[in-house]
């Protein structure tokens, strides 16, 4: 389905909304006539498009181009701030991407949510829109996505890993699970995701760890929950990937 705006909003470059969702809420696949910026001022979301899953912990936002079908699942209670933006105002990319949200961009998002859209864009609002456009376009990308395979056998493996990130099956066992030879599994998985199954699993584990850390769970518990044998090995991989320790990330 596509969301359309009332006539009085048509000339407004940005229309905002503040929404509260409970943990477990799922907004099924839908699309918008405008681009959308999804920002959770608190809480953790996972968004899916047909080929990719995006993790959105606090301090990040998801850019969704107009017309792109997407599904949003709330991993915790969410305070959502969302902006619907005309493409002639901001058109940064043709694909979804997770953005790092600076303190300044966060303040602009929170201000834009309260624009009196029915009155059109006044001078102060026009200045904020210009600032928003520049900040969104310049925001660094966060590596918080997982490429999903289209083959249903491979997709079943990925769903199993996402559901149970501590799952320790080896490549032979995954091949049996999928009803494929190990060679076919290896070749097809890399062809459809661009990385090996082991690299994909590590990425999935780390993204799940972000959610658990953001929820306040201790580092050691998180390490075991996502399949690492020690907190030290988990911390080393986490730091190498995200440039900070899991303990420091949990405290941000």
């Amino acid at each position: 389905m596509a969301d359309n705006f009332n006539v009085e909003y048509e000339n407004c470059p940005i229309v905002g909304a503040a929404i509260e969702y409970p943990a477990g809420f799922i907004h099924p696949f839908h699309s918008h006539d405008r681009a959308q910026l999804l920002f959770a001022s608190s809480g953790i979301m996972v968004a899916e498009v047909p080929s990719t899953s995006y993790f959105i912990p606090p301090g990040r936002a998801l850019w969704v181009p107009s017309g792109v079908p997407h599904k949003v699942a709330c991993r915790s209670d969410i305070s959502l701030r969302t902006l619907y933006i005309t493409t002639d105002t901001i058109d940064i990319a043709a694909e979804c991407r997770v953005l790092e949200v600076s303190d300044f961009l966060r303040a602009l998002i929170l201000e834009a949510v309260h624009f009196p859209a029915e009155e059109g864009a006044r001078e102060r609002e026009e200045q904020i829109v210009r600032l928003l456009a520049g900040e969104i376009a310049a925001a660094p990308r966060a590596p918080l996505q997982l490429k999903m395979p289209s083959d249903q056998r491979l997709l079943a493996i990925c769903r199993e890993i996402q559901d149970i990130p501590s799952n320790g099956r080896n490549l032979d066992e995954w091949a049996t699970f999928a009803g494929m030879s190990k060679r076919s599994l290896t070749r097809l998985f890399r062809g459809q995701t661009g990385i090996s199954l082991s690299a994909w699993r590590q990425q999935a584990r780390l993204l799940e760890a972000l959610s658990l850390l953001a929820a306040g769970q201790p580092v050691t518990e998180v390490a075991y929950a996502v399949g690492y044998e020690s907190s030290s090995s988990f911390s080393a991989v986490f730091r190498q990937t995200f440039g900070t320790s899991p303990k420091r990330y949990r405290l941000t």
Side-chain angles (χ1 to χ4, degrees):
M1 68 183 257
D3 291 346
N4 296 301
F5 292 89
N6 295 331
V7 173
E8 63 264 30
Y9 294 166
E10 287 182 355
N11 296 323
C12 301
I14 292 179
V15 177
I19 309 169
E20 306 296 318
Y21 287 132
F25 176 83
I26 297 176
H27 193 171
F29 275 101
H30 62 288
S31 63
H32 306 284
D33 293 337
R34 294 181 175 213
Q36 183 181 21
L37 188 73
L38 284 159
F39 171 68
S41 56
S42 65
I44 303 151
M45 297 179 288
V46 177
E48 292 185 28
V49 299
S51 61
T52 310
S53 290
Y54 297 90
F55 284 67
I56 316 163
R60 281 81 174 180
L62 180 68
W63 172 264
V64 183
S66 61
V68 174
H70 56 286
K71 168 186 174 183
V72 179
C74 300
R75 300 290 295 272
S76 63
D77 292 345
I78 293 288
S79 291
L80 178 66
R81 304 297 180 264
T82 186
L83 302 179
Y84 302 95
I85 306 167
T86 57
T87 54
D88 58 350
T89 301
I90 310 173
D91 191 14
I92 63 170
E95 76 283 346
C96 297
R97 57 178 60 182
V98 181
L99 305 176
E100 300 281 357
V101 176
S102 65
D103 290 342
F104 184 45
L105 178 54
R106 179 182 184 275
L108 291 170
I109 292 170
L110 297 182
E111 186 66 27
V113 163
H114 299 294
F115 279 178
E118 68 279 0
E119 298 179 13
R122 297 174 297 190
E123 182 177 353
R124 176 176 177 275
E125 292 157 11
E126 290 173 351
Q127 293 173 348
I128 292 173
V129 167
R130 286 194 291 270
L131 289 170
L132 261 172
E135 288 298 303
I136 291 174
R141 296 183 66 169
L144 301 177
Q145 69 276 343
L146 281 170
K147 178 76 173 177
M148 304 298 285
S150 57
D151 184 276
Q152 292 302 306
R153 297 166 297 178
L154 302 185
L155 189 59
I157 292 175
C158 293
R159 297 298 189 200
E160 184 79 3
I161 292 172
Q162 287 182 308
D163 289 342
I164 311 173
S166 60
N167 192 313
R169 285 192 179 107
N170 60 33
L171 190 58
D172 287 316
E173 291 169 329
W174 283 122
T176 300
F177 174 87
M180 307 170 67
S181 70
K182 183 168 71 172
R183 181 178 180 183
S184 295
L185 170 59
T186 301
R187 176 175 48 80
L188 189 58
F189 196 92
R190 184 178 291 277
Q192 293 198 359
T193 66
I195 57 177
S196 68
L197 176 57
S198 61
W200 194 97
R201 179 167 62 180
Q202 176 174 289
Q203 193 172 353
R205 285 175 167 177
L206 289 174
L207 292 178
E208 175 65 17
L210 290 179
S211 296
L212 299 177
L213 290 167
Q217 291 196 25
V219 173
T220 299
E221 290 184 13
V222 172
Y224 292 132
V226 298
Y228 285 85
E229 295 182 355
S230 69
S231 59
S232 59
S233 59
F234 165 67
S235 296
V237 174
F238 190 97
R239 182 185 293 276
Q240 183 180 20
T241 304
F242 298 116
T244 188
S245 69
K247 182 177 181 181
R248 179 166 294 182
Y249 176 88
R250 190 170 67 88
L251 296 174
T252 57

